[in-house]
Amino acid sequence: MTFVAVVSDYLLHPFYPQFFEIRFGMTNPKNVGYYFAAICFMVMIAFPFWAYVSKKVAELKILIYTQFIAGILALYCYWTNSYLNFWIVSLVMVLFKGSYLLVYPYILKIIKKEEHVSTIGLLSVVVHLGGILGAVLGGFTVDYINPNSIFLIMALGDFVQMFMSAYLLKSKKYDTTLILDSGDQRKSSLTSKNFILKIGLLTFILYFSDFLIRPFFSMYWESISEFDSKLVSGTIYAIPGIVALIALWINHKNNESGYDGIIKAIFIGLIGLLLQGIPSELVVISGRIIYGWAIFQCMVKFDVLLFEMSNPESYSLDYSKVHFFQNLGVLIASLNVGVIVDNLGLQMPFTIALIGFSITLLLYFFVFRTSSVSKPIEKAS
C-alpha cells in the first residue's frame, strides 16, 4: 500500500514546471514553488488530523473512505481545464491522500521492537522504489502520452489502496487490531516534552535542504545534459532510490543498530550536494549516487530514533508531530525555491542545501548528542 501511494505521489514531483507549462501555459517558476508549498501545507495539517482520528477509528477503516474520495478528486483533476479549480481540488485531494501516512506507524505497532530497524529501512526502500517508478512513469507519461493522464494513474492507485484496506479488514487471515508491544508508557511524556522538539528541529532543516533541490532538479539536469528526454530526467532524479536498495543491503549485512553514523551520513550528504551543484553530467550523477546513500541513512536513522523513544500507543501522534516539522521545512523550501531559481539560477538550491546540511550537522553534534535524551539512546545502541 505504501509503495502504491508513493508511486502516485511521485508521478508529477520531478515535472511540475513542465506540467504547468504544458497544461496551463504557466512558465513562472514562482507558481511551481507556491504550488509545492500549498501541497506541503495540506500534508502538514492532514497527517496530524488523521492521526487524531485514528485514536477513535481504526487506520484501515479510515483509508477505505479517504482513498475513495482522493480517487474521485484525482479523476476531476484529470477532467478539469480550469487552473483555479485544479488548484483547489488537487489540494483537497492531497488532504485525503495524506491519510496513507497512517500505514507507517500502524506497521510498527504490529511488529516487535527488535524488528523496527530493519522494517523502517525496508519501508524507506519501498518509498525510494516508489519514487523511482513514479518519476520514470511520470516522465514516460509526459513525454509520450499526456500529462493529464497522470491523474488517471493517481486515481487507480487510490482505489487500489481502498480495496486493499477493505480486504485486510475483512480477511480472517489477519488480526488488524493486534499490537505486539505495549511499550514503556514513561516514554510518552519524554517524547512529547523534549524529544519531539529536538528531533523535529533537526529534521526540519534536513527536509528543507533535501526538498529545496527537488522541484527544479529535472530542469537543472536538462540545462547541463545533451539528452532532451523527460524519461532520462526522471531516471536521474530517481537515482537515490536505486542507491537506497544498496544501502539497505549494506545495513542488513553489517547488522547496524540504526543509531550510529548519523554524523557520517550528514557529512557524506554535504559531499553529494557539492558535486550535484557542479554542471557536469558525470559529476552530477556521482553526486546523486553519494547523496542518495546519505539521505537514506539520515532519514532511516532519525525515524528509528523517534520510534525507539516512543511507545506503540503514541506512534501515530508522535510521528505526526515530527512529520509536521518535516513538512514545515518542505513548505518553506517550496515557498522560496521558485524565487531562488528565478533570481539566482538553477544551481543556487544546491548551495543553500549545503548550508542547511552543515547547520544540521553542527546542531546534532553540539546540541542533540550532548543532551540527556541521547544517553538512553546511546546505551540502547
Side-chain angles (χ1 to χ4, degrees):
M1 289 172 64
T2 301
F3 178 75
V4 171
V6 173
V7 169
S8 298
D9 273 358
Y10 272 78
L11 287 168
L12 267 180
H13 267 213
F15 306 112
Y16 275 117
Q18 297 92 326
F19 171 79
F20 279 114
E21 182 177 358
I22 296 171
R23 180 86 182 268
F24 300 110
M26 300 287 180
T27 57
N28 191 336
K30 294 178 183 178
N31 291 332
V32 178
Y34 294 150
Y35 184 74
F36 253 81
I39 289 177
C40 296
F41 177 75
M42 295 305 288
V43 175
M44 283 172 61
I45 62 175
F47 189 28
F49 172 75
W50 295 121
Y52 178 78
V53 173
S54 70
K55 295 182 70 176
K56 306 292 183 181
V57 184
E59 290 90 342
L60 294 177
K61 289 182 179 178
I62 293 173
L63 289 172
I64 292 175
Y65 299 103
T66 55
Q67 298 308 308
F68 173 75
I69 295 172
I72 296 298
L73 295 177
L75 292 176
Y76 180 85
C77 290
Y78 166 78
W79 173 79
T80 186
N81 289 316
S82 167
Y83 180 62
L84 178 61
N85 289 348
F86 172 82
W87 256 76
I88 295 172
V89 173
S90 63
L91 292 179
V92 176
M93 176 187 72
V94 169
L95 179 66
F96 287 96
K97 268 181 174 291
S99 62
Y100 87 83
L101 292 166
L102 292 172
V103 174
Y104 191 10
Y106 172 72
I107 289 174
L108 296 178
K109 283 200 299 186
I110 61 175
I111 64 172
K112 298 177 181 178
K113 278 276 189 181
E114 306 85 72
E115 300 175 304
H116 278 192
V117 174
S118 59
T119 303
I120 289 173
L122 179 61
L123 286 170
S124 182
V125 168
V126 167
V127 170
H128 280 81
L129 285 175
I132 293 172
L133 183 58
V136 174
L137 186 58
F140 180 84
T141 306
V142 171
D143 264 345
Y144 300 109
I145 307 177
N146 188 311
N148 293 6
S149 300
I150 284 176
F151 287 94
L152 291 179
I153 304 173
M154 285 186 182
L156 178 62
D158 295 329
F159 294 140
V160 166
Q161 293 176 75
M162 177 189 72
F163 285 119
M164 289 180 71
S165 299
Y167 167 75
L168 289 171
L169 279 171
K170 293 182 178 180
S171 175
K172 294 181 179 180
K173 289 183 179 180
Y174 311 106
D175 180 5
T176 57
T177 63
L178 179 67
I179 298 179
L180 291 184
D181 184 4
S182 60
D184 184 355
Q185 297 300 323
R186 290 174 299 176
K187 288 182 180 179
S188 182
S189 60
L190 175 64
T191 305
S192 59
K193 290 181 180 179
N194 298 318
F195 196 69
I196 290 294
L197 181 61
K198 291 176 180 179
I199 199 170
L201 176 62
L202 286 168
T203 55
F204 160 77
I205 303 171
L206 187 70
Y207 275 67
F208 166 82
S209 305
D210 177 51
F211 276 79
L212 195 67
I213 69 173
R214 294 194 182 194
F216 293 92
F217 178 82
S218 62
M219 290 188 68
Y220 169 70
W221 169 259
E222 289 166 10
S223 71
I224 65 170
S225 173
E226 297 179 356
F227 298 99
D228 184 18
S229 168
K230 301 295 184 295
L231 184 59
V232 173
S233 300
T235 303
I236 302 300
Y237 180 91
I239 282 177
I242 301 170
V243 176
L245 279 174
I246 301 171
L248 178 65
W249 177 77
I250 292 173
N251 285 357
H252 178 73
K253 183 179 179 181
N254 295 338
N255 195 28
E256 291 196 9
S257 64
Y259 307 116
D260 299 329
I262 290 181
I263 291 177
K264 180 175 70 174
I266 298 173
F267 182 76
I268 292 174
L270 286 169
I271 298 173
L273 285 169
L274 181 66
L275 293 177
Q276 286 181 86
I278 299 173
S280 166
E281 291 181 9
L282 289 177
V283 176
V284 169
I285 291 173
S286 299
R288 202 82 178 135
I289 293 170
I290 294 171
Y291 178 78
W293 184 90
I295 198 66
F296 169 81
Q297 298 289 1
C298 288
M299 291 181 176
V300 168
K301 291 175 188 296
F302 275 121
D303 278 358
V304 171
L305 211 55
L306 168 65
F307 289 111
E308 173 63 24
M309 298 305 296
S310 183
N311 68 79
E313 294 298 333
S314 303
Y315 280 173
S316 292
L317 280 176
D318 287 343
Y319 182 57
S320 72
K321 292 172 186 176
V322 171
H323 198 266
F324 179 89
F325 280 100
Q326 293 169 354
N327 276 278
L328 181 61
V330 177
L331 173 64
I332 295 174
S334 302
L335 279 171
N336 290 281
V337 66
V339 178
I340 291 169
V341 169
D342 195 29
N343 293 298
L344 301 173
L346 291 165
Q347 286 177 271
M348 186 52 65
F350 296 102
T351 302
I352 299 175
L354 195 69
I355 296 171
F357 266 62
S358 300
I359 294 172
T360 305
L361 183 65
L362 291 173
L363 282 177
Y364 181 81
F365 186 78
F366 289 109
V367 178
F368 196 90
R369 291 281 292 183
T370 57
S371 71
S372 60
V373 176
S374 68
K375 292 179 181 177
I377 296 169
E378 290 167 359
K379 184 178 180 180
S381 62

